[in-house]
Amino acid sequence: MPAYRWATLGCGVIGHELAQAMQALGGNLYSVGNRTHEKALAFAEKYGISKVYDRPEDIFADPDVDIVYISTPHNTHIRYLLPALSAGKHVLCEKSITLNSRELDQARRCAREHGVVLAEAMTLYHMPVYKQLAELIRSGALGPLRFIQMNFGSYKDYDMTNRFFNRSLAGGALLDIGVYALSFVRYFMSCQPDQIASQVRLAPTGVDEQAGILLQNREGEMATISLSLHAKQPKRGMAAFDKGYIEIYDYPRADTATITYTADGRQQVLQAGNQAKALQYEIVDMENAVAHGGQGMYLDYTKEVMDLMTAIRQQWGLTYPEEEGGVR
C-alpha cells in the first residue's frame, strides 16, 4: 500500500492510469486538481478521492500532500514545478519534464534548496526488464557497447490544431516521443553523447514532425534515432555489443527483451515485470526515493537527455513561445 499521500495535477489519460495503479497497490490518490473543476470532480467521484482543489496553488498549500504528480502539457510544467517544490512537495512530473535545460536547472536548484525529490515520470527506468538487462551488461556477458538503433513513429491526424503539432502546446516529435528514445540511449550508453548530427522535417506550424538523429560519446559508442509523428514505426530499440545484441519492442514499457549471442546465434528471451504495471513500478520507486534521499529516480539521466534535446532544437532553430525567441 502506498505510504505517502499523492495529489495529481491533471486528470487526463495519465491521471487515470495513476489512479488505477495506486488502487492496484492497495491505496488511493489523496487528492486531485485540474484546470477544469468539473473534470476534477468527475475524476474524484470515479476513483473515490475525497479532496478536490479549485486551484493548483491549493494543492501546494495543503500540508497533507506529500507527493505531486504533474501531467499537464509540457509547456506548463515549470510554472507548477517551482511552486510545488518551493512548498516542500516531492514531485514526479510527466515527460518531457520541462521545455529546455534552463528550466530544468531552475527546478533542480529549487528541489535541492527545499530538500525534496524531483523526478521525471520515465517508466522505462523503472521496468524490471531494464534492471535485469543492466545486471547482464555489468556482468560482461555481452562485452562493450558499440551501437544503438532506435525507432519511434506514430501516425497522428495531420491536423495542425492537434496538440502534437501545436507550437503553443510545445508540440513536436522530439519532446513527445523522442524523449523516450533518448532516455533508452542514455540508459545503455556508458556516458552522455557529446557529438550530435541531425536532420528535421518541420510541420506547417513550425514544430518537428519527423527527424533523424545521430549521436556519439567519448567512448565511441554511437546511436541513431528515427522519429516521426506522420509515419507509423515499430517502437524498437536495439543495442549492439561485441558479443551480442539486445532487441526490445514497445520499449517505453517493455517487459520482454531478446538477446542474440553473435558467436553461435543462440537467443535468450528475458522476461521480467508486466507492461500493465508500469506506473506501479514508478510509484514504488518514487516512494523509495522519497524515503531514502532521492536515489533511484535517474534525475542525472533526465538532465543529460534534456541537454541533448535542447542542443538538437538549437540546431533546428526550433523554439516555443515561452522561450521568447531563443532556447533558454
Side-chain angles (χ1 to χ4, degrees):
M1 180 174 179
Y4 296 92
R5 289 174 295 246
W6 288 65
T8 179
L9 177 55
C11 51
V13 172
I14 296 296
H16 285 274
E17 289 188 9
L18 178 69
Q20 292 159 13
M22 200 72 68
Q23 291 180 342
L25 288 169
N28 203 3
L29 282 169
Y30 167 73
S31 53
V32 57
N34 193 69
R35 62 182 177 180
T36 306
H37 187 66
E38 292 74 17
K39 287 185 178 179
L41 287 173
F43 184 92
E45 183 176 353
K46 179 174 182 177
Y47 295 107
I49 298 168
S50 59
K51 199 158 191 178
V52 178
Y53 303 100
D54 290 322
R55 304 177 307 156
E57 294 81 2
D58 297 333
I59 300 176
F60 314 143
D62 187 340
D64 292 328
V65 170
D66 299 310
I67 303 172
V68 179
Y69 193 109
I70 297 175
S71 60
T72 58
H74 311 312
N75 58 328
T76 65
H77 289 173
I78 193 64
R79 81 175 69 151
Y80 300 131
L81 283 170
L82 295 179
L85 296 166
S86 296
K89 307 306 180 189
H90 307 285
V91 178
L92 184 59
C93 184
E94 262 304 303
K95 78 295 290 178
S96 165
I97 190 169
T98 56
L99 282 186
N100 53 54
S101 294
R102 181 175 179 272
E103 288 185 353
L104 181 53
D105 288 342
Q106 284 181 294
R108 293 178 78 201
R109 283 194 301 270
C110 190
R112 285 195 298 269
E113 288 168 4
H114 293 89
V116 291
V117 176
L118 168 66
E120 183 176 58
M122 178 55 65
T123 50
L124 183 154
Y125 295 145
H126 308 287
M127 298 298 293
V129 73
Y130 290 98
K131 296 179 181 182
Q132 291 196 16
L133 286 169
E135 292 176 7
L136 179 68
I137 293 164
R138 281 194 295 268
S139 76
L142 294 173
L145 175 68
R146 300 303 182 192
F147 195 81
I148 298 174
Q149 187 177 58
M150 305 300 301
N151 295 82
F152 200 137
S154 299
Y155 186 84
K156 305 299 183 186
D157 289 338
Y158 209 56
D159 176 358
M160 294 303 109
T161 64
N162 184 311
R163 75 166 183 88
F164 295 103
F165 300 105
N166 190 331
R167 185 170 169 270
S168 295
L169 294 177
L174 186 63
L175 292 189
D176 198 82
I177 59 178
V179 66
Y180 292 110
L182 287 164
S183 296
F184 183 106
V185 167
R186 183 61 194 92
Y187 186 83
F188 285 100
M189 277 190 169
S190 60
C191 60
Q192 181 184 20
D194 57 3
Q195 297 180 52
I196 306 169
S198 66
Q199 289 188 320
V200 65
R201 173 177 171 174
L202 300 177
T205 54
V207 304
D208 54 308
E209 68 173 55
Q210 195 158 284
I213 300 165
L214 176 63
L215 304 170
Q216 182 170 315
N217 64 16
R218 64 176 180 268
E219 300 299 325
E221 299 164 352
M222 299 179 69
T224 62
I225 298 172
S226 173
L227 304 174
S228 181
L229 292 177
H230 205 43
K232 184 68 176 175
Q233 299 180 68
K235 297 174 186 176
R236 175 181 178 267
M238 187 281 297
F241 301 78
D242 263 6
K243 301 177 184 179
Y245 56 90
I246 298 168
E247 291 178 284
I248 300 177
Y249 285 86
D250 295 325
Y251 61 80
R253 298 186 179 187
D255 54 23
T256 304
T258 301
I259 303 151
T260 302
Y261 293 90
T262 50
D264 56 9
R266 176 174 58 92
Q267 288 194 326
Q268 174 188 359
V269 177
L270 183 64
Q271 292 182 304
N274 185 325
Q275 286 188 0
K277 295 182 178 181
L279 264 70
Q280 294 179 45
Y281 303 132
E282 201 166 58
I283 290 167
V284 170
D285 281 356
M286 181 65 179
E287 294 202 346
N288 284 336
V290 170
H292 299 101
Q295 299 302 309
M297 294 305 290
Y298 297 91
L299 187 60
D300 287 344
Y301 283 7
T302 297
K303 164 63 175 167
E304 292 181 7
V305 168
M306 181 56 65
D307 286 347
L308 288 171
M309 293 196 296
T310 300
I312 290 165
R313 285 202 296 117
Q314 285 176 330
Q315 288 185 354
W316 298 343
L318 170 55
T319 60
Y320 295 107
E322 292 84 359
E323 295 169 326
E324 300 175 343
V327 176
R328 293 179 290 161

